Each structure stands twice: as C-alpha cells, then as structure tokens.
Amino acid sequence: MEDDAPVIYGLEFQARALTSQTAESDAIRFLVGTQSLKFDNQIHIIDFDDENNIISKSVLQHQAGEIWHISASPADKAVLTTCYNKTSESRVVTCGAVWRMPPEWESGSHESPDDPHNSHNPQNLELLCHLDNSSHGNASCVLWEPMGDGKHVISLADNHALLWDLTESSTQATISSSATLEGKGQLKFTAGKWSPHHNCTQLATANDTAIRGWDLRTMSQIYCIENAHGQLVRDLDFNPNKQYYLASCGDDCKVKFWDVRNINEPVKNLEEHSHWVWSVRYNHSHDQLVLTGSSDSRVILSNMVSISSEPFGHLVDDDDLSDGEDNHQDEKTKEPLQDSIISTYEEHEDSVYAVEWSSADPWLFASLSYDGRLVINRVPRALKYHILL
C-alpha cells in the first residue's frame, strides 16, 4: 500500500539519540541529537506531515558536545534534556543538562530537508541548568516524570540515581534524594525507566545483566532480577496499561517481558534479532504493539497480544450487539489471539540505536541508525483496523 511506504530523512552526522516531543499531541514531531567529534553537534527537529508524506526540519546548535541521550519534557514543548560528552582536564566526561529551544523554532522556520540553503544559521539552544554533580560520575540518561508537570527528573550517573527538583522556569535544579548501587566492582547504570504507574513512585534500572526496581519515596530497592539477560541489558520500557509488566532487551539478542511480581522467569521471550537489541518500546495506546531496534540494522514490530491488556482482542459489550452479531462475537472471543511478528523493517544499513512511537499518532513510529538515517514508518493499515474494529 502506497500510504504505508517509509519516509526517510538523512542527517549529515552520525546519531544515536532520538525522542518524540512528548508534550506535543497534535503535530508529529521527533527530536534527533547528533554525534560529531569534528563539528558542532546539532538537534534536528523533525516534523512529519502525515497527509502529504512530507518531512520538514529545523536545526538547533548543541555546542556542548556529542549527544548520547535526549529526552523531552512532558509539560513544555520547548524544554528538553541531553546527556553529552565534553572534555575536562584531558578526560572525557558525560554531563546532563536542561535546555530550552529558542522561540523562533515554532514560528514556521521549518525547511524542506532538500533545500540547499538550509542549516546555514542554526539557532542555539538556551542552557537552563546543568544536572551535574561531579562527585556522582558520568550521566547515562535523564528521565522526566511521566505525565508530570516538568518539575522532576531523574539522572542516572555511574552507580547513582539522582532525583532532581526543577524550579518553575527550570533554571535551577536541586537534588532532592538519591540512591546508590552497591556491590563488588565498578557498577554502572546502563538504562532506566520511570514507571507511569503507582503514582509515579517507581523506577526500573538496568546495570550489567540485572534489572532493579526502586521505590522513589524511600530510594530503596524493591526487586532485583539478577540475570535478566545473558549479557548487558540495553533498554527497558513499562507497559502503559499493565502496571506490573516490563519489557527489557540486551546484548544476548533477546527481548524479554516480565511481571515484576514474579521475577523468577520472564512471561515471554522474543528471539527475532541476530545482534544486540538497543531499544524496546511499547505503543502508548495499544500495548500489544512492541517495537525493537537492533545492531542487526532491523526494526521489528511485534504483536504481543497474549500478554497485553486486551488478550482476547477488542471486547464488545453484549448490549452493543444486534442479534445477527451475537454468534460472530462468540467465535471471536473464545480463545486468546496469537502473538506474532507483524513486520520487519529493513530500511537501515547501520545499527539501529533508537526506536520511538509518535506521541501524536499512535500508528506512527520513527527509528534512528548510527549513520544518521531517520526512518518514519506506520503500523500496517490492515492491523490497525483489526485492532480498532
């Protein structure tokens, strides 16, 4: 189907940081952060016009350093955080900071990616505050409080999880509480996810092959899945509709789904990738749809319906059915639907480091590979109608 064709955008620099603009619920917009050692790094604001299949962009300068992680405020479209490398006293350190986009970015200054005159005078981001505390080591990621007011973030730095309070204008950040990963050797957090459930009081983190849950009220550990993966755990995501369900992926090429009330074994395993899996994302609305991106250059969309919040498909009340539909409905709801791989996307030629669902359109997602290729794809139309109808 022509409408399901991918749309590809190429950055001139390598990149591995991608986020959708969380606070934007109307426009389909993604933010990409570049990794360049020779040139000033940039944040590309990518707008996608769904009706005409057209991408437009604006570019902001991020002169602080190469971007390893990017995250958008859930409350303010113009505010974002990055984790970036900088050289300090002849060693490389990774810092976190909160930034504001200049007011011009939204005033129609977007250009077509094919315009040869574009990006000559990119605007600079405004630094709001640093999320640095040199005693806490290198920042690996910054997480915003889900559905929050944009006043609370968590940064993971080496073996510390730091909860920051931001002022009204986000120009000052103070550490309100912290937790430290303790054990033998040099422990480091590799990934984390702030749970949208339990009044946003829980955090999941990954270090080495383990996944840990934390209670943010006491900053104490509440569960630990010791050898969750055979090798390093790369990413985590919470099911948006089932509060105890968590997805993880790692260097053992596997994606695993956990019920954190029973951590002895995963509820489900996926072994479709042939190299490290860097990113896993649940669809925000339809949690059976799960995206994964890997160093095998592929993006896989899976239909994990058996462990979703609607394992029997979309249930309809008997009252809503006419007599003629009754029998048909009985057949439809007798047994759970089967899990399946919906589609494997092979538009990338390099490691896919990030996959993200759009925050404005639940049927649309973006993937980013290290060579700077951003691909926008849609859930196949037949599956979309099958889920909705």
Side-chain angles (χ1 to χ4, degrees), residues 239 242 245 257 267-268 282 287 304-309 339:
N239 184 315
K242 294 184 79 172
Y245 275 63
F257 297 88
V267 181
K268 202 91 182 173
Y282 277 106
D287 56 276
M304 304 306 294
V305 69
S306 71
I307 52 171
S308 74
S309 54
D339 295 341

Side-chain angles (χ1 to χ4, degrees), residues 330-349:
D330 287 344
E331 288 163 24
K332 191 175 171 185
T333 55
K334 268 178 193 161
E335 56 186 80
L337 302 166
Q338 294 298 306
D339 295 341
S340 61
I341 301 303
I342 298 160
S343 202
T344 299
Y345 300 90
E346 302 192 348
E347 289 85 26
H348 292 284
E349 296 171 18

Side-chain angles (χ1 to χ4, degrees), residues 57-68:
K57 65 153 191 183
S58 32
V59 178
L60 301 174
Q61 291 281 34
H62 183 281
Q63 292 170 332
E66 52 175 354
I67 301 166
W68 287 80

Side-chain angles (χ1 to χ4, degrees), residues 353-377:
Y353 282 135
V355 289
E356 290 288 349
W357 291 98
S358 163
S359 50
D361 181 343
W363 309 105
L364 193 133
F365 57 91
S367 53
L368 177 69
S369 53
Y370 190 54
D371 53 6
R373 181 178 296 182
L374 179 83
V375 180
I376 293 177
N377 267 301

Side-chain angles (χ1 to χ4, degrees), residues 9-10 16 76 85 148 178 188 198 206-207 235 286 308 325-326:
Y9 170 73
R16 64 196 300 154
D76 187 336
N85 276 3
S178 64
K188 282 187 180 181
H198 314 288
N207 69 287
D235 198 18
H286 308 283
S308 74
E325 288 177 304
D326 280 351

